[in-house]
Amino acid sequence: MFSISEKSILSSRLLSFLIAFSMFLLISSSLSLIEFEENSFVPKSVLQLIPNLVSNASVNNQIPNAIIVDAQESPVKSPVFPNETLNNTISVDEPEEKHLTRKCDKTKAHLKVYMHDLPPKFHFGLLGWNAPANQTWPSLTDRVKLPSYPGGLNLQHSTEYWLTLDLLSSSNKDIVRPCTAIRVENSSEADVIFVPFFSSLSYNRFSKHRQNRKGSGDKVLQEELVNFLVKTKEWKRSRGKDHLIVAHHPNSMLIARRKLGSCMFVLSDFGRYSSRIANLKKDVIAPYKHMVRSIAADNSPLFDERPILAYFQGAIYRKDGGAIRHELYYLLKNEKDVHFTFGSAHQSTGVREAGKGMAHSKFCLNIAGDTPSSNRLFDAIATHCVPVIISDEIELPFEDVLDYSEFCVFVRAKDAVRKGHLLNILRGIKNERWSRMWEKLKEISGRFEYEFPSRENDAVDMIWQTVSRKNVSTRLSVHRKNRYTRSQFRLRM
Ligand SMILES: *[C@@H]1O[C@H](CO)[C@@H](O)[C@H](O)[C@H]1NC(C)=O
Ligand SMILES: *[C@@H]1O[C@H](CO)[C@@H](O)[C@H](O)[C@H]1NC(C)=O
Ligand SMILES: *[C@@H]1O[C@H](CO)[C@@H](O)[C@H](O)[C@H]1NC(C)=O
Ligand SMILES: *[C@@H]1O[C@H](CO)[C@@H](O)[C@H](O)[C@H]1NC(C)=O
Ligand SMILES: *[C@@H]1O[C@H](CO)[C@@H](O)[C@H](O)[C@H]1NC(C)=O
Ligand SMILES: *[C@@H]1O[C@H](CO)[C@@H](O)[C@H](O)[C@H]1NC(C)=O
């Protein structure tokens, strides 16, 4: 039997619970109103300054669809054989074998990762892999038979492929790799839940075929993914906060990301995201896979062996931030020691030419295109050509452990277009200072190499390290959110 006072305590608790719950509904419905902010071409800083602007739906409706669809240079579809894909990634640094062990001890791994066994159509099926019945993942024992990622421009966003292969290989005793991340079978033990959807490839493959059916294949896959994920106990447990989703192509996951925005994304930049859906606190910036061949440290041309002062080859843009390319072109086109041409560097022979050009240039320009980032930065690093970054909104991979000012020159866009300014800066950097940056480039270029099997401090390993550093802040926010929901759960019991 309850006493009177116990009853009234119970009912007042019930009442306060109801109040809290309706407050929650009110807040979450008003938050969903500002969700569309993401595609906006209005600079993010402006939106942050004027929160009210965000809730005006017309901001979103002004965005021409075409810009989003064909914004990236269209993919070239030449196949890359596994032997080439894997060989393409020779690291310049020798691996430090002493840190590698055959058996990776689960208790020593920085990051325990549970990977959803999504059906093959979400990952290796997109590579044309015909999964044998009852088999979700390809076997890693015969590397030549491994499904390879399509070549050309597709490859620059292949992060999804390398991370998935690396997790698969973490349970293969014959593969030697760093022990940063390890796959666990029991999701309760995991720090992170990895979602193996090859979203960039799905965009490159399927997004263009949209007219005939109810939606593109890419859209259908994204919707199926959302339906699957939000029902899992792993998602419900953390509301997605400990999930890792790779969306490296700026146009990938455009549909699903609104519903999965609480997760950690692996992205190339935040150019097409609102700061609510993607931000540095929870997300990971990953490098593009470079297109040109990397040069070995002891083959790298010196200052005097690089006759070209500044190198740029790229597409003409057209929209938004890309206008600066035109302005720079007119400023630089008559300089004898500047290579500045428009045109895709990535058609077969073009890549080899670009690689050679960059390796014989002191500085390589990275000018904002229609997205703040591009693979040009990583091509420059691979050829030890000191990057000059003219892209105010760029996000840089692993910047919490790398100080890019040690090996890059940053010039604000508004300064770069002042007559003579850029050339003055570059000509002012003499052999000694340039060589310090070049030494640093040689030291860190291995951090941008995607490899299979992965090696210590290569791109794959660096991504896992970054994720494990996020773990701390993610867990903190999961636990803070649990404060009241968990207490109320106990109260009802
Ligand atoms: C929303 O946008 C419309 C059209 O651009 C404008 O007329 C209206 O004043 C805006 N509302 C607010 C609250 O800014
Ligand atoms: C890679 O493998 C494919 C098919 O097995 C073969 O045709 C190609 O010549 C190989 N490439 C190299 C560079 O060995
Ligand atoms: C792989 O790279 C090595 C070192 O550059 C080279 O000698 C070898 O021929 C390459 N193999 C293929 C298949 O491209
Ligand atoms: C990640 O968070 C979990 C839970 O708090 C913790 O047990 C684990 O040690 C953390 N991992 C790292 C690398 O900090
Ligand atoms: C797949 O596995 C299930 C359960 O183990 C089995 O009943 C089924 O026959 C298998 N299907 C094939 C095609 O092997
Ligand atoms: C998974 O791990 C949790 C926590 O360590 C444990 O309670 C549970 O029994 C495990 N489940 C399985 C199927 O091993």
Side-chain angles (χ1 to χ4, degrees):
M1 278 293 287
F2 288 116
S3 73
I4 304 276
S5 64
E6 271 168 337
K7 263 188 196 163
S8 65
I9 287 173
L10 266 184
S11 59
S12 73
R13 281 184 180 172
L14 183 66
L15 191 64
S16 52
F17 170 69
L18 283 175
I19 291 173
F21 185 65
S22 42
M23 290 287 281
F24 168 75
L25 284 182
L26 185 70
I27 290 170
S28 53
S29 62
S30 56
L31 278 181
S32 69
L33 273 177
I34 60 172
E35 191 164 5
F36 62 80
E37 171 196 353
E38 57 189 359
N39 290 339
S40 176
F41 276 66
V42 178
K44 234 179 318 188
S45 52
V46 174
L47 291 177
Q48 278 158 359
L49 286 173
I50 322 170
N52 286 339
L53 184 67
V54 170
S55 62
N56 192 335
S58 65
V59 173
N60 191 40
N61 294 338
Q62 288 161 1
I63 300 163
N65 233 356
I67 291 184
I68 291 168
V69 173
D70 66 11
Q72 279 265 316
E73 292 140 275
S74 61
V76 180
K77 280 175 193 152
S78 64
V80 166
F81 295 110
N83 49 4
E84 289 169 355
T85 314
L86 303 176
N87 207 28
N88 193 3
T89 56
I90 345 134
S91 169
V92 177
D93 309 320
E94 282 303 308
E96 292 175 46
E97 298 288 349
K98 61 179 188 288
H99 295 295
L100 303 174
T101 49
R102 255 167 209 284
K103 268 181 256 138
C104 182
D105 181 354
K106 202 155 69 175
T107 58
K108 297 218 177 74
H110 288 284
L111 202 63
K112 291 188 274 277
V113 186
Y114 175 81
M115 177 157 68
H116 277 300
D117 285 319
L118 290 179
K121 66 175 177 182
F122 287 99
H123 42 84
F124 288 94
L126 288 166
L127 303 173
W129 180 60
N130 283 320
N134 285 359
Q135 200 178 321
T136 307
W137 303 108
S139 152
L140 300 184
T141 42
D142 189 356
R143 241 177 255 170
V144 179
K145 285 208 194 111
L146 259 186
S148 55
Y149 204 83
L153 284 175
N154 287 299
L155 261 184
Q156 59 183 337
H157 299 298
S158 54
T159 313
E160 52 203 21
Y161 176 72
W162 306 103
L163 290 181
T164 308
L165 277 183
D166 190 51
L167 278 184
L168 289 175
S169 64
S170 84
S171 31
N172 185 319
K173 292 189 178 49
D174 298 326
I175 294 178
V176 179
R177 59 185 278 286
C179 196
T180 305
I182 190 168
R183 185 181 175 199
V184 294
E185 300 293 336
N186 181 345
S187 65
S188 320
E189 292 176 1
D191 303 315
V192 168
I193 313 292
F194 184 74
V195 181
F197 173 39
F198 291 180
S199 60
S200 300
L201 193 59
S202 172
Y203 171 77
N204 276 334
R205 279 278 156 96
F206 294 139
S207 62
K208 305 285 159 63
H209 315 291
R210 57 171 71 236
Q211 308 89 332
N212 33 10
R213 285 191 286 138
K214 48 188 177 250
S216 71
D218 182 36
K219 177 166 177 266
V220 172
L221 275 183
Q222 289 184 44
E223 281 164 356
E224 282 183 31
L225 181 72
V226 172
N227 287 339
F228 165 83
L229 270 185
V230 298
K231 289 195 192 109
T232 60
K233 67 173 193 299
E234 289 80 15
W235 186 273
K236 288 178 184 157
R237 188 176 68 195
S238 67
R239 286 164 295 265
K241 279 189 189 304
D242 55 2
H243 283 52
L244 189 66
I245 298 181
V246 187
H248 199 266
H249 193 296
N251 294 342
S252 62
M253 296 290 281
L254 283 186
I255 298 155
R257 69 188 192 186
R258 291 158 186 253
K259 290 177 183 132
L260 307 178
S262 54
C263 76
M264 286 180 259
F265 286 116
V266 178
L267 302 173
S268 52
D269 59 48
F270 298 136
R272 300 210 177 120
Y273 282 81
S274 74
S275 55
R276 202 173 69 82
I277 289 187
N279 55 67
L280 272 185
K281 214 172 129 203
K282 69 177 186 68
D283 300 310
V284 176
I285 299 295
Y288 289 59
K289 181 166 165 36
H290 58 80
M291 295 278 114
V292 304
R293 267 187 101 86
S294 20
I295 51 178
D298 46 10
N299 263 341
S300 184
L302 302 165
F303 186 77
D304 292 327
E305 294 164 351
R306 295 175 181 251
I308 305 167
L309 176 71
Y311 187 98
F312 177 81
Q313 177 144 23
I316 305 183
Y317 289 107
R318 43 213 215 206
K319 312 143 193 155
D320 213 37
I324 186 175
R325 290 189 179 181
H326 281 287
E327 297 188 42
L328 282 170
Y329 175 69
Y330 289 111
L331 283 176
L332 300 178
K333 68 179 170 142
N334 293 327
E335 299 294 325
K336 282 203 178 53
D337 54 355
V338 173
H339 171 101
F340 199 121
T341 51
F342 286 123
S344 174
H346 298 303
Q347 250 97 50
S348 51
T349 60
V351 177
R352 205 168 310 130
E353 288 301 308
K356 224 192 271 170
M358 294 170 111
H360 290 92
S361 303
K362 296 181 178 74
F363 298 98
C364 286
L365 307 182
N366 296 269
I367 313 168
D370 63 345
T371 54
S373 67
S374 81
N375 69 340
R376 228 161 263 105
L377 170 62
F378 307 99
D379 284 346
I381 293 173
T383 52
H384 310 146
C385 174
V386 173
V388 179
I389 296 176
I390 307 170
S391 179
D392 301 345
E393 300 273 305
I394 199 169
E395 294 296 342
L396 300 163
F398 324 133
E399 202 174 6
D400 54 344
V401 291
L402 291 180
D403 183 349
Y404 279 75
S405 69
E406 292 172 356
F407 53 90
C408 293
V409 177
F410 290 84
V411 184
R412 282 184 215 287
K414 67 171 171 28
D415 296 331
V417 296
R418 274 160 46 198
K419 199 159 185 291
H421 188 81
L422 183 60
L423 286 173
N424 276 345
I425 292 178
L426 300 187
R427 292 201 204 285
I429 298 176
K430 305 288 185 220
N431 193 340
E432 196 197 331
R433 194 173 150 211
W434 183 89
S435 297
R436 276 205 302 275
M437 296 202 241
W438 171 75
E439 291 289 354
K440 192 74 192 171
L441 278 172
K442 292 195 291 181
E443 184 190 318
I444 54 85
S445 61
R447 294 188 174 36
F448 301 92
E449 299 286 352
Y450 285 98
E451 296 176 296
F452 175 72
S454 66
R455 292 203 272 184
E456 182 157 311
N457 291 334
D458 70 359
V460 174
D461 194 38
M462 291 292 286
I463 291 172
W464 293 131
Q465 290 177 28
T466 310
V467 172
S468 88
R469 287 190 294 269
K470 301 279 179 196
N471 182 36
V472 181
S473 61
T474 308
R475 291 282 158 172
L476 175 71
S477 82
V478 169
H479 293 166
R480 282 180 69 89
K481 287 259 164 67
N482 280 345
R483 285 179 181 183
Y484 296 105
T485 48
R486 284 274 166 87
S487 325
Q488 276 150 16
F489 183 61
R490 274 191 218 109
L491 184 72
R492 274 182 293 169
M493 285 200 302

